[in-house]
Amino acid sequence: LQPPAGHELVVAIDTLVEGVHFPVGAAAADIGWKSLAVNLSDLAAMGATPAWALLSLTLPSGERGFVESFIDGFMQLARSQGLALVGGDTTQGPLSASVVVHGFVPAQQALRRQGAKTGDVVMVTGTLGDAASALRCLDRQHARAHALLSGPRGTRENLLNRLKRPTPRLAAGVALRGVASDCIDISDGLLADLAHVCSASGVGAEIDAPLLPRSSALLTLFDAGDALEFALSGGDDYELCFSVPADRAAAIASDLSRMGCGATRIGRIVTGDGVRVRDAD
């Protein structure tokens, strides 16, 4: 496996475990898609283009239909990104999938968590909170789960699709090379992941809660308080969070809008440490 001349090799690995990272009984094709998507999202956060992957699949039993469906979902996303599956392993045990992805980025152009500067504008792609709200819909123990699942079908499916088949923002990551001061993908929740950037960069951040982008589906099924909680802390969004110099924010928003994911200004980098959230008052 040979990286092209003048490029650096970037690597990411994630494991998805049944009952922890996806619901028990989830469709095999959706598990296959997501196991790759969460790794490609890490490549996107580094501004890299994907090259190849390794897959280690652990199965309770060797069900041919499950494996074929899993690979169908995995390869549907892989082919769309020009990524090859070059090896891996299968073992018997509790259902889980571990994926290693490799990608390329021009030398010295990789996006990193450190680099945020006081005065930078904090931005995010897409909308926040959809995947976490979908988990609420699927939580049979929650008092409103039945009402949520019986809500408007199109609205509910939009949220569930964000959980089952997240879209790695690879094109956006490439567009941010040489422009963004830093970048991270939102897997653990906006507050937690932006805090990683602040820690690595030695700065603080202020977020304006009313500016957080939330989908119409989220706002239809949930009240404002829940929608805000999901957007701030829910996780599993796999959108990109980054900061840019204030005079570049409008141009970046326009560029990413043309790519279909958009970018919203949600706050600013400040002196200090940690992340503070400001409401309308």
Side-chain angles (χ1 to χ4, degrees), residues 34-187:
K34 190 169 184 177
S35 67
L36 178 58
V38 301
N39 281 280
L40 292 182
S41 183
D42 283 327
L43 261 59
M46 293 185 277
T49 55
W52 53 72
L54 301 168
L55 166 65
S56 181
L57 186 59
T58 302
L59 299 163
S61 60
E63 298 178 23
R64 183 181 183 90
F66 182 94
V67 174
E68 290 178 344
S69 183
F70 180 99
I71 292 298
D72 283 346
F74 186 99
M75 293 307 299
Q76 184 179 349
L77 178 56
R79 283 191 293 267
S80 74
Q81 301 299 331
L83 176 138
L85 179 60
V86 298
D89 189 25
T90 54
T91 55
Q92 186 172 9
L95 180 58
S96 65
S98 295
V99 176
V100 179
V101 291
H102 296 75
F104 305 133
V105 64
Q108 308 303 315
Q109 292 189 35
L111 300 172
R112 304 178 185 277
R113 294 182 179 186
Q114 64 265 36
K117 302 175 182 63
T118 301
D120 278 356
V121 168
V122 179
M123 306 184 76
V124 294
T125 59
T127 58
L128 303 178
D130 292 334
S133 71
L135 276 176
R136 176 71 60 86
C137 291
L138 295 174
D139 181 5
R140 303 290 182 178
Q141 304 302 314
H142 193 271
R144 291 190 61 228
H146 178 74
L148 294 169
L149 283 171
S150 61
R153 181 173 179 83
T155 298
R156 186 184 72 237
E157 290 302 319
N158 285 342
L159 297 180
L160 293 174
N161 284 336
R162 288 294 306 277
L163 174 66
K164 295 186 293 186
R165 296 208 171 192
T167 302
R169 302 299 189 184
L170 289 156
V174 170
L176 292 174
R177 290 178 191 162
V179 180
S181 303
D182 56 87
C183 190
I184 193 170
D185 72 323
I186 302 174
S187 56

